[in-house]
Amino acid sequence: MHKNTQKFVITGGRRLCGEIALQGSKNSALPIMAAAFLAQGETVLKGCPKLTDVYSAMRILTCLGCRCRMEGSNAVIDSSSPGSFSISDELMGEMRSSIMFMGAILGRMGECEVSAPGGCELGPRPIDMHLAALRKMGAEINIRGGRIYCRLPSGRARGTKISLSFPSVGATENIILCAVRAEGETIINNAAREPEICDLCSFLRCCGADIKGDGESRIVINGIENLHGCEYTVMPDRIAGATYLSIAAAAGGELILKNACVAEMEPFLSVLEQTGCCVYSSENRIYLRRGGRLRAIKNRIRTMPHPGFPTDAQAVLMAALITAEGTSVFEENIFDCRYRHTDALIKMGADIEVMGKAAVIRGVDRLHGAEAEATDLRGGAAVAAAALSADGTTVLTGIGHIDRGYEKFEEAVTSLGGIIRRE
Ligand code: EPU
């Protein structure tokens, strides 16, 4: 995937104080960029985070015949005259969200050729639900030599009722992307309810789409023939927000998060508050202060689809709880293999026992710096958070993973008084 040989050298033990304005959401921006392919015209995506995954999406759009550029923090995408319906193995392998182009290309061109997507190693990440749904919408799908060929015989998908066995975020997004230009009505039952789904639907509505029910389990989409471009602002990144709050909770100090989506972060904030941190929020700001030692969380922290506790915040909150007083237990219910960060944390002195879905964190007094590797995006951020709270220096390799999801990570940490250097 990313051959980034850079590393972070982090010296811990400093209280972190200051303000951070939250970046736009990665997991909104990526499906919205795929959705921009459906629009016949120019899309201006404001507040688009500058991340390696966003640049991958721009490369995909360019190879499909769109003209793309970054203007400050706006991504400008012109899909007036698409020239291809095929994405190379190499581009597909750069990130998981490349799969979102399947529904969008099919919706716009009536056929597409892709391969299995890349992305974080969180255990098996099949796309069976995506494929079954697109088949139900009339797509003929053939898989040969790792390539996936999809074709809509009549050129347009047909509306239908799809009941998902699990509220998959990606499958819900792919269905929506294919359904907005389909013939007739598509109903998704047991749809994912993540805020990023609502953001995608709001964008598509700005382009003229007819979608109702996003944010609930039943989404109804009435297909229309054409979508037009628009200007749209990406929602703030709730997981980057959870990360910076966890970093401040781990290291101690005071943080003001600006441009925060407070309501969408509630499932995380309600758990964070139980650590004894002072957390206040107003319209779009969150204030956190940690004075004394954190307290362990009494109840199991179960990751669940939204509005449950987000799996993407599991690792970063764990980093803060390593030095809390008492024992906390996580239960990871979304991905099979999302505790890979625990090896690095244990190397730094954490007392963590992983037993299947559960991870038991017994609070220790102190952590120490170590040589560690980021093995995935959120896990990498968690190790950085632990390093900022540890005694001594940590050398963190594999930071290409962190660059996939956090814009100017080291600048944000430095602005709070943390010591972090990219080498
Ligand atoms: N699943 C299947 N079959 C499918 C699709 C999903 O079995 O066809 C399983 C997955 O293997 C997984 C579970 O369902 O065990 C959940 O997967 P989901 O489809 O909901 O996740 P995703 O679309 O692959 C998005 C985010 C992830 C986030 C999850 C859950 C993007 C680009 N990615 O992934 O974000 O963890 O939803 O909220 O939106 C991250 O940002 O670090 C990240 C991994």
Side-chain angles (χ1 to χ4, degrees), residues 3-10 370-374 384 393-403 409-410 419-423:
K3 294 175 191 67
N4 185 330
T5 52
Q6 293 180 328
K7 51 192 169 214
F8 281 144
V9 180
I10 301 171
E371 288 195 4
E373 191 191 349
T393 297
T394 294
V395 177
L396 180 59
T397 55
I399 62 171
H401 289 293
I402 296 177
D403 292 335
F409 182 75
E410 65 268 42
I419 303 177
I420 179 167
R421 198 172 67 235
R422 185 185 285 260
E423 282 187 352

Side-chain angles (χ1 to χ4, degrees), residues 131-195:
L131 297 176
L134 295 178
R135 279 200 173 101
K136 198 151 185 229
M137 297 177 78
E140 289 172 355
I141 303 181
N142 288 302
I143 304 174
R144 276 187 313 250
R147 296 291 282 168
I148 306 169
Y149 301 86
C150 311
R151 202 175 79 84
L152 294 164
S154 73
R156 273 179 91 186
R158 55 165 194 266
T160 182
K161 195 188 275 185
I162 296 162
S163 296
L164 295 175
S165 54
F166 176 87
S168 153
V169 174
T172 303
E173 290 171 340
N174 244 332
I175 299 167
I176 293 169
L177 289 167
C178 188
V180 284
R181 294 189 76 213
E183 277 183 74
E185 183 182 75
T186 303
I187 298 175
I188 314 173
N189 286 319
N190 199 23
R193 298 162 61 191
E194 269 63 8

Side-chain angles (χ1 to χ4, degrees), residues 27 96-97 125-129 168-170 312 334 378:
N27 289 348
R96 173 77 183 173
S97 292
R125 295 179 76 176
I127 53 166
D128 53 318
M129 283 190 247
S168 153
V169 174
D312 291 342
I334 307 295
R378 308 302 172 189

